[in-house]
Amino acid sequence: ITSLDANMRGQQHTRMDGSTIRPSLVLLDDPQTRQSARSPTQTRYRLQLLNGDVLGLAGPGEEIAGVLTCTKIYEGDLADQLLDHDKCPEWQAECTKLVYSFPANEKLWQKYADIRSESLRQGHGGEEATDFYGRHRAEMDAGAVVAWPERFDAKKELSAIQHAMNLKLRDEEAFFAEYQNEPMQEQLNDQILTVEQV
């Protein structure tokens, strides 16, 4: 176990019989930070580390497999590029979402949002909104498709659709980045001062 920033070049392991082996599989979990995702320079650097240092761990003439889980934070960040078959065709990427189709009845969900906001302000935890959803669930669920129907808090929610909409209501920008892999914000450009500007 090591970090992407650690010196990983030339990794090897000596077996009990004295033979040495190099890695043949790497498992990578979220190889970017929120800060690095905002920077095109750090994104390029991390992409070079992945494609060079990490995928080169097996050594000359040897094959290596890599499994990487990631979440897009900003448009153009490392995850966004790795999940793009045109930019990184060697990564057999699959981009998943929490919601594949949103509910059709926007008016009922707006009413739900108003009831939920007032309930939260009053310290009731959204109970009144859940009651409203329960009474109108068939209409409010119409058109919605979620990836994981069991993903909700059964103590406070009635379905994964309600759970997803609660996440969206809490912070729409975070919802689209963290749960939909569709970040709303573009990556910020690095601002590098020139000699003349200084």
Side-chain angles (χ1 to χ4, degrees):
I1 295 176
T2 188
S3 75
L4 195 60
D5 294 324
N7 182 13
M8 65 184 77
R9 299 172 71 91
Q11 293 286 324
Q12 60 185 20
H13 174 72
T14 304
R15 292 178 166 166
M16 296 286 283
D17 65 3
S19 64
T20 58
I21 56 171
R22 303 271 307 255
S24 59
L25 171 69
V26 290
L27 305 173
L28 301 137
D29 182 37
D30 276 331
Q32 67 180 352
T33 64
R34 185 165 291 279
Q35 181 182 8
S36 74
R38 293 174 66 92
S39 166
T41 302
Q42 288 188 41
T43 295
R44 278 191 305 276
Y45 171 70
R46 286 170 186 257
L47 190 57
Q48 289 169 348
L49 281 176
L50 284 176
N51 290 331
D53 295 21
V54 174
L55 295 183
L57 284 171
E62 298 296 325
E63 290 191 4
I64 191 165
V67 177
L68 184 147
T69 58
C70 58
T71 302
K72 294 179 191 178
I73 301 173
Y74 301 108
E75 185 180 320
D77 69 9
L78 180 65
D80 191 31
Q81 292 188 43
L82 290 170
L83 289 164
D84 186 323
H85 294 139
D86 292 328
K87 291 181 182 173
C88 294
E90 52 286 318
W91 290 92
Q92 297 171 7
E94 181 180 346
C95 190
T96 61
K97 302 176 183 186
L98 179 61
V99 179
Y100 284 93
S101 178
F102 285 94
N105 197 324
E106 293 180 19
K107 286 184 181 180
L108 279 177
W109 279 105
Q110 184 54 57
K111 177 78 171 162
Y112 172 89
D114 295 340
I115 294 168
R116 183 176 182 271
S117 293
E118 184 57 31
S119 177
L120 292 173
R121 278 193 289 275
Q122 298 296 324
H124 299 161
E127 292 173 17
E128 295 87 347
T130 298
D131 291 342
F132 176 82
Y133 173 66
R135 291 192 307 274
H136 302 280
R137 183 171 174 181
E139 295 169 87
M140 294 175 75
D141 285 358
V145 177
V146 292
W148 185 6
E150 296 78 22
R151 190 186 199 283
F152 66 97
D153 183 347
K155 295 175 188 168
K156 297 187 268 183
E157 299 166 325
L158 303 178
S159 75
I161 296 168
Q162 182 189 15
H163 176 70
M165 295 303 283
N166 284 344
L167 291 171
K168 185 173 181 277
L169 289 170
R170 182 175 67 195
D171 186 327
E172 190 171 18
E173 191 173 297
F175 172 78
F176 276 100
E178 297 294 326
Y179 298 98
Q180 292 297 101
N181 271 310
E182 296 174 343
M184 298 170 78
Q185 277 190 336
E186 290 187 20
Q187 190 180 53
L188 300 181
N189 291 324
D190 290 341
Q191 298 297 321
I192 301 172
L193 295 176
T194 65
V195 173
E196 293 77 20
Q197 289 172 319
V198 173

